[in-house]
């Protein structure tokens, strides 16, 4: 059912964004319901009984927190960033459990992270420089850990594509936050890549439960 219910829930919120609704509660509730569904599903499936499932659940809970905080004014941005930082660390741990290091697979993520951060740097307020640098590092580590897994080809590629989608989503957020190059339908792009990321990451760990 996840292949039907989650896309429908995600499309509802994307529709709300596309139509430009100004109703705060509608935007907030439609935003968090897809992640609430994944949390409920993980509990129902008993994923909390394994270490991988526990860390996946922690990632989902703090993603939910970040979603909620970032629905409020920009003055709370750093708190949303902190919640998603914890989510990225949790996903990294879930990807790492029982898997090798593979330092060579870190290289493309380091190259991207460093180059993108320095491109954004002129637009980042001094007080946010370190938090943003830490967050960029965390999401690149999450991408690396998804690529370092020794699992089935299906799960590895779902994880890699999910992590890359997360990196794209956060990169679009940073683009709109720290540069004047905000994309048309910015929120739709952010949330569509974000929902794809969460969906694929969730599916990528089904065989490890």
């Amino acid at each position: 059912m996840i292949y039907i219910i989650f896309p429908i829930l995600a499309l509802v919120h994307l529709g709300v964004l596309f139509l430009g609704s100004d109703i705060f509660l509608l935007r907030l509730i439609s935003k968090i319901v897809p992640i609430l569904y994944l949390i409920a599903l993980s509990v129902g499936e008993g994923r909390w009984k394994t270490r991988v499932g526990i860390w996946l659940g922690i990632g989902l809970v703090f993603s939910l927190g970040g979603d909620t905080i970032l629905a409020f004014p920009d003055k709370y941005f750093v708190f949303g960033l902190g919640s998603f930082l914890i989510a990225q660390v949790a996903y990294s741990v879930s990807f790492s459990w029982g898997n090798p290091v593979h330092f060579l697979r870190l290289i493309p993520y380091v190259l991207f992270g460093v180059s993108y951060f320095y491109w954004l740097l002129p637009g980042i307020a001094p007080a946010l420089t370190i938090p943003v640098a830490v967050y960029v590092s965390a999401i690149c580590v999450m991408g690396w850990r998804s690529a370092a897994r020794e699992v089935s080809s299906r799960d590895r590629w779902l994880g890699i594509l999910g992590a890359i989608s997360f990196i794209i989503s956060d990169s679009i957020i940073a683009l709109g936050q720290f540069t004047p190059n905000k994309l048309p339908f910015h929120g739709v792009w952010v949330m569509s890549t974000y929902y794809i990321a969460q969906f694929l990451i969730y599916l990528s760990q089904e065989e490890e439960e």
Side-chain angles (χ1 to χ4, degrees):
M1 291 298 289
I2 185 175
Y3 293 97
I4 298 172
I5 295 176
F6 184 85
I8 289 173
L9 295 176
L11 285 171
V12 168
H13 180 63
L14 295 178
V16 169
L17 292 179
F18 184 78
L19 294 173
S21 173
D22 292 326
I23 303 172
F24 176 76
L25 279 179
L26 177 61
R27 292 170 66 96
L28 175 60
I29 293 171
S30 64
K31 181 182 185 182
I32 64 175
V33 163
I35 305 305
L36 281 171
Y37 170 70
L38 291 183
I39 293 171
L41 192 63
S42 70
V43 173
E45 292 176 343
R47 293 195 175 202
W48 52 271
K49 296 177 181 178
T50 69
R51 291 186 177 92
V52 170
I54 288 170
W55 286 104
L56 174 66
I58 292 170
L60 287 169
V61 168
F62 279 93
S63 293
L64 178 67
D67 285 337
T68 305
I69 294 168
L70 292 181
F72 289 87
D74 280 352
K75 64 181 179 179
Y76 300 111
F77 177 77
V78 69
F79 297 104
L81 194 72
S83 190
F84 273 116
L85 174 63
I86 297 172
Q88 299 303 335
V89 171
Y91 285 147
S92 294
V93 175
S94 72
F95 283 141
S96 298
W97 207 273
N99 286 300
V101 177
H102 287 310
F103 279 119
L104 287 178
R105 299 183 189 182
L106 174 62
I107 294 173
Y109 296 97
V110 170
L111 293 176
F112 168 79
V114 170
S115 60
Y116 197 71
F117 175 76
Y118 276 99
W119 183 64
L120 295 172
L121 191 56
I124 302 174
L128 286 176
T129 301
I130 293 177
V132 172
V134 170
Y135 187 81
V136 170
S137 300
I139 199 164
C140 288
V141 167
M142 191 267 290
W144 163 46
R145 296 316 302 153
S146 74
R149 297 162 76 205
E150 293 295 342
V151 291
S152 70
S153 178
R154 169 199 178 270
D155 279 4
R156 184 169 61 253
W157 279 107
L158 284 174
I160 290 171
L161 292 174
I164 290 173
S165 294
F166 224 134
I167 291 170
I168 292 171
S169 180
D170 284 340
S171 298
I172 296 171
I173 292 175
L175 189 72
Q177 193 77 21
F178 303 120
T179 80
N181 304 312
K182 199 169 186 175
L183 295 176
F185 299 106
H186 172 81
V188 175
W189 285 108
V190 169
M191 295 308 298
S192 59
T193 49
Y194 169 73
Y195 286 140
I196 290 170
Q198 296 283 19
F199 185 58
L200 294 180
I201 289 172
Y202 189 91
L203 292 178
S204 77
Q205 298 189 345
E206 283 184 325
E207 295 177 11
E208 294 184 69
E209 301 306 318

